[in-house]
């Protein structure tokens, strides 16, 4: 495919009847009501994976007093999420060869095992610390499937006019879980008591509340694992569209095609840099806002509303993209322009001593929430555009590569944070620069809609 659009010769074998599964009658595809149950189970598991991953950042002050964690410990606990993507090729191979059910069952089991390990009640702080780190790592290993398989699910179960919406729901619920941790953590786990007299009592109460939250996480994940084990088919009896029934490239051919496609590399970087930076940035948002005299609870609310806004706006924009197909690049340009302006506003506001800009709670709330809305809502649009660009590469492999790159960026950011955790202004500048970098790449990106072409011109 090179740097240009796919040619007629590349598309022709796929739209030939000999390459389509004739027994699935792709021209008259069918959608099933059960697709909503499949989407719900997948999304709820993503919600829990995101909540567990981001649990420690919003309560970092409490964790420091209860378990003796340092700021580097908090950064490493968040870092286990990106590190879970190291064996991403194995998870993408499993998704390609065994289907969504096997992949999701493995991810749910890893999450269940991780939650069980963390919940073991042990008084020894050193052992408890290792158990918590181990549980976070196991939860991170579930990330490759949960964060990458949403577009695969939407193509397999949903019609073309619902694909972007289903992708948005499946992809953004993990972010919604991360926002839930901003709310659940600070509200359920008390902040440390400043008085030395009550320090011991306060620390004991904090440990008890954290342990209670970990028990609740274990129960919720166990219920979801049981539900997926009882019912979660890999695919419907009849595919919903021509693209869903078409033959795809092999696993090896797909990786080679992606790595040799300049347009894919452009959009992959445009996705990975801002989303990777904001994942690491939001994971330590409490640490960033502490110098601005923002409390742990207020920082939690800011992170919560920024991610909630991104999820709601993302689903709305995905539904809009479904109604006017072929406008994904324009939508991304508008989103990234808004993200760049909002990130610049937030960064300069945090430097109020230098810029002399007003730094009120309302301004910090507004600018931070807008950053989350614009970047998080762009995720499903990125997924849909990159899939259209590289079709017939399977959706799971395509999204697996770009989410791996995003988590690689997050991992690098958090790695540097373990060394430079005293003054965090550089994190805000990284966020601003990442948005501008992505905007420039998208402006020069030439879009194409190969999968949409197949559905429209073959099914009519």
């Amino acid at each position: 495919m090179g740097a240009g659009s796919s040619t007629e010769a590349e598309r022709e074998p796929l739209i030939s009847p000999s390459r389509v599964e004739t027994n699935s009658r792709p021209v008259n595809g069918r959608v099933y009501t059960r697709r909503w149950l499949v989407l719900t189970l997948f999304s709820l598991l993503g919600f829990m994976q995101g909540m567990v991953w981001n649990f420690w950042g919003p309560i970092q002050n409490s964790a420091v007093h209860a378990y003796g964690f340092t700021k580097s410990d908090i950064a490493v606990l968040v870092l286990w999420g990106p590190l879970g993507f190291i064996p991403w090729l194995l998870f993408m191979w499993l998704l390609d060869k065994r289907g969504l059910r096997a992949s999701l069952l493995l991810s749910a089991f890893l999450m269940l095992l991780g939650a069980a390990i963390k919940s073991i009640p042990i008084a020894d702080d050193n052992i408890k610390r290792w158990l918590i780190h181990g549980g976070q790592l196991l939860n991170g290993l579930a990330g490759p499937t949960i964060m990458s398989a949403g577009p695969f699910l939407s193509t397999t179960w949903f019609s073309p006019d619902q694909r972007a919406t289903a992708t948005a729901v499946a992809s953004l619920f993990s972010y919604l879980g991360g926002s839930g941790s901003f709310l659940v953590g600070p509200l359920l786990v008390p902040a440390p008591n400043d008085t030395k007299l009550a320090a011991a009592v306060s620390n004991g109460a904090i440990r008890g509340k954290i342990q209670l939250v970990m028990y609740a996480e274990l129960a919720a994940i166990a219920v979801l694992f049981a539900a997926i084990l009882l019912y979660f088919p890999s695919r419907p009896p009849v595919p919903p569209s021509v693209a869903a029934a078409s033959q795809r490239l092999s696993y090896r051919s797909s990786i080679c095609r992606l790595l040799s496609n300049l347009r894919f590399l452009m959009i992959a970087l445009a996705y990975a840099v801002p989303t990777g930076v904001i994942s690491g940035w939001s994971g330590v948002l409490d640490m960033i806002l502490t110098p601005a005299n923002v409390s742990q609870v207020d920082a939690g609310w800011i992170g919560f509303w920024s991610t909630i806004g991104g999820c709601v706006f993302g689903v709305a924009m995905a539904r809009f993209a479904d109604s006017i197909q072929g406008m994904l690049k324009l939508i991304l340009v508008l989103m990234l322009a808004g993200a760049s302006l909002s990130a610049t506003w937030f960064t300069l506001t945090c430097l109020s001593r230098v810029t002399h800009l007003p730094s009120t709670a309302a301004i910090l709330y507004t600018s931070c929430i807008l950053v989350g809305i614009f970047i998080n809502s762009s995720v499903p649009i990125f997924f849909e555009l990159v899939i259209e660009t590289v079709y017939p590469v399977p959706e799971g492999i395509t999204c697996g590569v770009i989410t791996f790159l995003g988590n690689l960026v997050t991992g690098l950011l958090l790695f540097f944070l373990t060394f430079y955790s005293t003054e965090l202004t550089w994190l805000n500048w990284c966020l601003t620069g990442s948005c501008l970098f992505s905007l420039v790449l998208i402006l020069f990106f030439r879009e194409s809609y190969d999968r949409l072409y197949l559905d429209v011109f073959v099914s009519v």
Side-chain angles (χ1 to χ4, degrees):
M1 294 177 68
S5 302
S6 62
T7 64
E8 291 290 336
E10 286 178 316
R11 285 195 290 251
E12 185 63 29
L14 288 173
I15 61 180
S16 172
S18 63
R19 297 298 297 273
V20 179
E21 297 179 13
T22 55
N23 61 346
S24 62
R25 301 196 305 165
V27 175
N28 299 309
R30 178 181 174 184
V31 293
Y32 296 83
T33 304
R34 74 189 77 166
R35 70 189 186 279
W36 299 111
L37 175 60
V38 171
L39 179 62
T40 299
L41 290 176
F42 182 92
S43 301
L44 289 177
L45 192 66
F47 179 88
M48 289 306 304
Q49 201 270 342
M51 177 174 283
V52 172
W53 166 73
N54 196 44
F55 173 69
W56 296 98
I59 62 164
Q60 56 103 9
N61 288 328
S62 301
V64 166
H65 283 75
Y67 295 107
F69 287 159
T70 64
K71 288 187 176 181
S72 296
D73 284 320
I74 301 299
V76 171
L77 287 171
V78 180
L79 180 61
W80 287 126
L83 288 178
F85 271 74
I86 290 178
W88 66 278
L89 282 172
L90 174 62
F91 287 96
M92 294 306 98
W93 176 87
L94 182 64
L95 179 63
D96 185 57
K97 298 299 182 182
R98 299 297 181 183
L100 188 56
R101 174 178 170 82
S103 300
L104 203 62
L105 273 175
L106 176 59
S107 297
F109 175 75
L110 291 172
M111 290 173 58
L112 181 63
L113 182 60
I117 290 176
K118 289 193 305 179
S119 300
I120 298 176
I122 292 181
D124 189 296
D125 282 350
N126 191 44
I127 297 178
K128 186 67 174 180
R129 180 177 178 177
W130 282 107
L131 291 177
I132 290 173
H133 278 281
Q136 289 296 109
L137 173 59
L138 289 171
N139 184 77
L141 289 172
T145 298
I146 290 175
M147 296 184 67
S148 307
F152 179 81
L153 184 151
S154 65
T155 299
T156 304
W157 285 91
F158 288 82
S159 59
D161 62 342
Q162 295 178 337
R163 275 198 300 241
T165 304
T167 295
V169 174
S171 304
L172 291 176
F173 254 71
S174 178
Y175 294 85
L176 194 64
S179 71
S181 64
F182 282 113
L183 180 63
V184 171
L187 288 182
L188 294 183
V189 179
N193 197 319
D194 292 332
T195 61
K196 295 182 179 180
L197 184 61
V201 177
S202 176
N203 291 348
I206 292 173
R207 289 175 66 102
K209 292 294 185 179
I210 292 177
Q211 187 68 32
L212 183 62
V213 173
M214 289 192 290
Y215 283 144
E217 290 174 348
L218 174 61
I221 294 172
V223 170
L224 287 173
F225 175 77
I228 294 170
L229 183 63
L230 291 175
Y231 182 80
F232 194 94
S234 285
R235 59 181 56 87
V238 177
S241 65
V242 177
S246 299
Q247 182 176 335
R248 305 302 173 86
L249 296 179
S250 66
Y251 180 79
R252 181 178 179 180
S253 298
S254 297
I255 299 296
C256 294
R257 175 73 68 92
L258 294 178
L259 296 180
S260 63
N261 189 330
L262 178 60
R263 289 194 306 136
F264 168 75
L265 296 177
M266 285 180 64
I267 194 170
L269 287 175
Y271 164 85
V273 174
T275 57
V277 169
I278 198 173
S279 292
W281 178 82
S282 62
V284 292
L285 185 59
D286 185 21
M287 296 167 60
I288 293 173
L289 292 174
T290 296
N293 297 319
V294 177
S295 68
Q296 178 174 288
V297 174
D298 285 337
W301 278 111
I302 291 175
F304 173 77
W305 286 116
S306 65
T307 312
I308 286 290
C311 293
V312 173
F313 190 66
V315 173
M317 292 306 297
R319 191 69 200 122
F320 177 69
D322 276 333
S323 64
I324 55 162
Q325 296 177 339
M327 302 291 289
L328 297 176
K329 176 181 174 179
L330 177 60
I331 294 174
L332 279 179
V333 168
L334 295 175
M335 287 180 170
L336 291 171
S340 300
L341 293 173
S342 303
T344 303
W345 184 20
F346 177 82
T347 300
L348 294 179
T349 300
C350 290
L351 292 174
S352 58
R353 294 181 180 178
V354 178
T355 61
H356 302 292
L357 292 175
S359 178
T360 64
I363 290 177
L364 288 172
Y365 262 78
T366 304
S367 57
C368 188
I369 289 172
L370 286 175
V371 172
I373 286 176
F374 285 120
I375 296 182
N376 292 329
S377 62
S378 70
V379 170
I381 307 300
F382 266 116
F383 280 173
E384 288 296 302
L385 183 57
V386 73
I387 289 169
E388 294 287 353
T389 300
V390 301
Y391 185 85
V393 177
E395 290 83 356
I397 296 175
T398 301
C399 295
V401 173
I402 64 173
T403 52
F404 167 75
L405 292 176
N407 279 270
L408 179 62
V409 172
T410 304
L412 290 174
L413 192 75
L414 294 174
F415 174 76
F416 284 111
L417 181 62
T418 60
F419 297 99
Y420 304 101
S421 58
T422 303
E423 207 283 321
L424 301 179
T425 302
W426 63 273
L427 272 177
N428 296 333
W429 285 114
C430 284
L431 181 65
T432 302
S434 69
C435 295
L436 292 171
F437 173 77
S438 180
L439 177 60
V440 172
L441 286 181
I442 291 298
L443 286 172
F444 286 96
F445 177 77
R446 288 194 297 116
E447 59 187 329
S448 65
Y449 297 90
D450 297 349
R451 184 180 58 168
L452 181 62
Y453 171 94
L454 184 64
D455 282 324
V456 170
F457 287 95
V458 174
S459 59
V460 297

